[in-house]
């Protein structure tokens, strides 16, 4: 309900112009209902992104090239919404959320692959460096600066994976995740 209405509102205005009170009025609910589920409108956008990632993980092994191709396909299907969402660069913006999501995914994959609980400075840098490049390229792609299909973008990104991170994702992709998981990077 909130996601569909927010996407509809953002066809005409930027996220910064969307007021939670207006969103709730369009949904026919009180603001407290919205705040029961979400911290703010940026949290709702992050939830929408998470739902797209979860949908991709239901059809493809998470963190494989096929998974990223599917995730990119879902982003592309809603590119007008995501373009507008990525225009925002505030504390809780989707850009910052996606960056931290990507850093954490890289860190979790590296820790599992290396069998460590704490990454070396070099591996921590690798996780962060690739996340910045990855997120930047996705945003550029959504804005039209990179001419590629979702499958091509995923292939380009996997071709640029640093050696240790590539090994981590390949080994992670060989295991089937347990039921009900999003295999999301919210682990430590």
């Amino acid at each position: 309900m909130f996601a569909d209405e927010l996407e509809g509102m953002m066809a005409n205005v930027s996220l910064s112009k969307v007021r939670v009170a207006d969103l709730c009025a369009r949904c026919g609910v009180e603001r407290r209902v919205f705040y029961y589920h979400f911290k703010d409108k940026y949290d709702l956008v992050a939830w929408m992104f998470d739902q797209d990632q979860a949908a991709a993980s239901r059809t493809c092994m998470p963190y494989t090239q096929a998974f990223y191709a599917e995730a990119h396909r879902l982003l592309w299907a809603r590119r007008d919404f995501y373009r507008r969402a990525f225009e925002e660069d505030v504390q809780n913006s989707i850009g910052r959320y996606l960056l931290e999501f990507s850093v954490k995914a890289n860190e979790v994959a590296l820790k599992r692959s290396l069998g460590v609980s704490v990454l070396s400075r070099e591996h921590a840098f690798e996780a962060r460096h690739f996340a910045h490049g990855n997120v930047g390229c996705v945003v550029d792609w959504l804005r039209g600066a990179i001419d590629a299909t979702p499958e091509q973008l995923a292939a380009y990104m996997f071709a640029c994976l640093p050696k240790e991170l590539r090994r981590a994702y390949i080994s992670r992709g060989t295991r089937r995740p347990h039921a009900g998981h999003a295999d999301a990077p919210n682990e430590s």
Side-chain angles (χ1 to χ4, degrees):
M1 156 174 71
F2 291 120
D4 292 338
E5 284 301 324
L6 178 63
E7 193 167 352
M9 291 173 78
M10 286 178 60
N12 302 311
V13 298
S14 67
L15 185 57
S16 64
K17 302 285 187 211
V18 171
R19 293 182 37 226
V20 171
D22 296 336
L23 177 61
C24 290
R26 287 177 63 143
C27 293
V29 299
E30 295 180 22
R31 286 176 52 172
R32 65 182 171 82
V33 174
F34 176 87
Y35 288 113
Y36 177 80
H37 296 283
F38 305 103
K39 293 183 297 192
D40 54 29
K41 59 190 175 185
Y42 303 102
D43 191 37
L44 171 56
V45 173
W47 179 83
M48 293 168 72
F49 170 79
D50 286 345
Q51 294 306 298
D52 285 341
Q53 295 296 298
S57 73
R58 284 190 292 275
T59 60
C60 300
M61 179 68 66
Y63 306 107
T64 61
Q65 185 172 324
F67 168 80
Y68 282 108
E70 179 63 12
H72 294 151
R73 190 189 65 71
L74 294 170
L75 289 174
W76 190 253
R78 299 166 83 175
R79 69 185 165 278
D80 292 335
F81 167 76
Y82 281 115
R83 274 185 199 147
R84 283 193 175 267
F86 278 110
E87 290 172 358
E88 304 288 319
D89 190 24
V90 296
Q91 182 177 353
N92 297 330
S93 70
I94 187 63
R96 292 178 189 216
Y97 176 81
L98 181 54
L99 179 61
E100 288 309 310
F101 179 94
S102 297
V103 167
K104 191 70 169 173
N106 292 344
E107 289 174 344
V108 167
L110 283 168
K111 286 176 183 177
R112 284 183 180 170
S113 176
L114 297 168
V116 299
S117 60
V118 177
L119 293 176
S120 68
R121 276 196 298 219
E122 293 81 9
H123 286 124
F125 178 81
E126 183 176 311
R128 186 160 288 282
H129 183 267
F130 189 72
H132 277 269
N134 195 10
V135 171
C137 286
V138 168
V139 172
D140 285 351
W141 173 69
L142 286 169
R143 291 179 177 156
I146 296 175
D147 183 23
T149 66
E151 294 78 14
Q152 290 169 328
L153 183 65
Y156 297 157
M157 293 165 106
F158 265 72
C160 294
L161 271 170
K163 186 172 112 179
E164 197 60 50
L165 197 52
R166 176 184 301 278
R167 185 178 5 257
Y169 277 117
I170 289 170
S171 68
R172 189 171 189 185
T174 59
R175 291 191 304 275
R176 188 74 195 148
H178 40 287
H181 101 48
D183 202 15
N186 58 358
E187 312 167 23
S188 45

